[in-house]
Amino acid sequence: MKDLERFAKKGKLSGSLQLYAPWLTDDVRDTLNRRLDLDPKKFDRSMKRWQRSASGKQLLAALGLAFPDMTVEQLHAAVSLASREYDGMNIINLLRSYPEENITVDLSQVAGLDLSNVRSPTASDEVDSEINRR
């Protein structure tokens, strides 16, 4: 994890990451550092509704491809911990907070993550969720 954090911060690849150099592009680095607009209090209170919202489904689908072994429960735990422990939510902080020792990362999918629309649950998400249940 320290090697990946160093890459995210400084763009430098350690010896252990050299094998992955073709996939550790500037796009991956930008994605690892991009802040997510998630309010931890709203996220914790509204996790179930958020999962059914358009924004939640979009993020879960994208993260499911980038981190194929991560469950929704692990994602929730990581988001909760990262939002309390670190200043700002990004993929690096999410990975730091992942509740397992190992995680599978598909770097080609990380490079393609579009996190621009990720945001905390809102009242409109609750309405969207209610409409989707009907």
Side-chain angles (χ1 to χ4, degrees):
M1 185 63 201
K2 288 181 183 181
D3 292 338
L4 192 58
E5 288 178 57
R6 183 173 168 227
F7 165 72
K9 285 182 184 176
K10 299 180 180 184
K12 298 188 189 255
L13 293 176
S14 65
S16 66
L17 291 179
Q18 286 298 323
L19 178 65
Y20 305 103
W23 296 280
L24 291 172
T25 64
D26 287 339
D27 288 339
V28 169
R29 185 171 176 232
D30 290 344
T31 299
L32 292 172
N33 289 308
R34 189 170 299 126
R35 290 179 70 95
L36 304 176
D37 182 23
L38 293 177
D39 179 329
K41 291 176 186 169
K42 288 181 183 177
F43 186 82
D44 280 343
R45 281 194 310 260
S46 305
M47 179 64 178
K48 293 279 188 222
R49 284 189 309 266
W50 181 81
Q51 286 175 246
R52 292 187 299 262
S53 73
S55 180
K57 287 179 183 177
Q58 178 184 5
L59 178 61
L60 290 174
L63 290 175
L65 294 173
F67 310 104
D69 297 338
M70 185 182 286
T71 66
V72 172
E73 292 78 18
Q74 290 168 326
L75 172 64
H76 184 218
V79 168
S80 286
L81 182 60
S83 61
R84 289 190 308 270
E85 296 290 321
Y86 303 104
D87 182 32
M89 174 61 64
N90 62 29
I91 295 295
I92 287 291
N93 292 340
L94 184 76
L95 292 175
R96 281 183 189 149
S97 302
Y98 184 68
E100 300 293 327
E101 188 171 320
N102 297 310
I103 184 169
T104 301
V105 179
D106 183 331
L107 294 174
S108 64
Q109 292 295 326
V110 170
L113 280 176
D114 177 11
L115 303 175
S116 60
N117 294 322
V118 175
R119 56 183 167 64
S120 288
T122 64
S124 66
D125 289 335
E126 293 181 31
V127 171
D128 291 345
S129 177
E130 186 64 33
I131 290 169
N132 288 336
R133 281 191 288 217
R134 293 183 182 174

